[in-house]
Amino acid sequence: MGVTVDVHEVFKYPFEQVVASFLRKYPNPMDKNVISVKIVEERKDVSTGIIYRKRIAVCQNVVPEILRKVNILKVPNIQLEEESWFNPQERNMAIRSHCLTWTQYASMKEESVFRESTENPNWTEFIQKGRISITGAGFLNCVLESFARSFLRQGVQKGIRIMEMLLKEQCGAPLAE
């Protein structure tokens, strides 16, 4: 089965400022679930100017306590790996993320893009597609996927609010139409 998420958001701020805010979004007091984010690899392709980054995020285990009675869910933290390719010349950044925890029971993958908006070159589009599939947990598969659906919807909205807050702090009000 699986749970999917599709997001399309336009930030009325320039691309470079949106990307900078994204890269410093976590950890943040507005989302205590993200404990740390560490860059584990970074390199720049001198011929293209593309900057590649690999980051590991450590997040609190948000699975409800009642479900953590099952041994496989009794972990304090969850690790996510994020890879990004920042292309300053083409003004886009592609991001791929996946979960490093519970890989034998669950698959979580996201693909995101920040790019200059087609509506206004001073705005930035954010497009994200993600999927979580739970397998190997028996009768809990559906329960965990239902929880994931709810948590993802809330998380997407919270992430967008955090981005808007960071952008307003950095840049002031959004750019005019």
Side-chain angles (χ1 to χ4, degrees), residues 31-42:
D31 190 347
K32 303 220 186 277
N33 292 329
V34 181
I35 298 166
S36 66
V37 177
K38 180 180 178 184
I39 296 173
V40 294
E41 185 179 346
E42 183 170 1

Side-chain angles (χ1 to χ4, degrees), residues 12-83:
K12 294 181 179 181
Y13 295 91
F15 169 76
E16 292 78 11
Q17 292 171 332
V18 172
V19 167
S21 291
F22 171 80
L23 291 172
R24 65 181 180 87
K25 180 167 82 167
Y26 296 115
N28 184 303
M30 285 182 66
D31 190 347
K32 303 220 186 277
N33 292 329
V34 181
I35 298 166
S36 66
V37 177
K38 180 180 178 184
I39 296 173
V40 294
E41 185 179 346
E42 183 170 1
R43 64 180 181 269
K44 182 176 184 175
D45 182 317
V46 290
S47 64
T48 64
I50 295 173
I51 299 169
Y52 168 81
R53 284 184 190 89
K54 183 187 291 186
R55 305 190 309 170
I56 303 291
V58 177
C59 306
Q60 288 182 8
N61 182 351
V62 295
V63 173
E65 285 295 326
I66 188 102
L67 295 175
R68 287 198 225 175
K69 304 249 185 260
V70 177
N71 275 342
I72 61 170
L73 301 176
K74 282 185 187 176
V75 296
N77 300 320
I78 299 165
Q79 289 192 353
L80 305 171
E81 180 180 83
E82 172 193 273
E83 294 178 283

Side-chain angles (χ1 to χ4, degrees), residues 56-128:
I56 303 291
V58 177
C59 306
Q60 288 182 8
N61 182 351
V62 295
V63 173
E65 285 295 326
I66 188 102
L67 295 175
R68 287 198 225 175
K69 304 249 185 260
V70 177
N71 275 342
I72 61 170
L73 301 176
K74 282 185 187 176
V75 296
N77 300 320
I78 299 165
Q79 289 192 353
L80 305 171
E81 180 180 83
E82 172 193 273
E83 294 178 283
S84 65
W85 295 263
F86 171 65
N87 187 332
Q89 291 175 341
E90 292 186 14
R91 299 187 77 203
N92 67 50
M93 184 166 81
I95 305 155
R96 275 196 325 236
S97 304
H98 67 273
C99 189
L100 299 173
T101 308
W102 298 318
T103 55
Q104 68 272 39
Y105 305 105
S107 151
M108 187 288 290
K109 296 180 183 198
E110 283 180 347
E111 292 188 6
S112 307
V113 173
F114 286 99
R115 66 182 182 203
E116 183 179 290
S117 172
T118 55
E119 287 180 62
N120 183 327
N122 291 313
W123 296 353
T124 305
E125 287 183 72
F126 172 63
I127 301 158
Q128 182 178 64

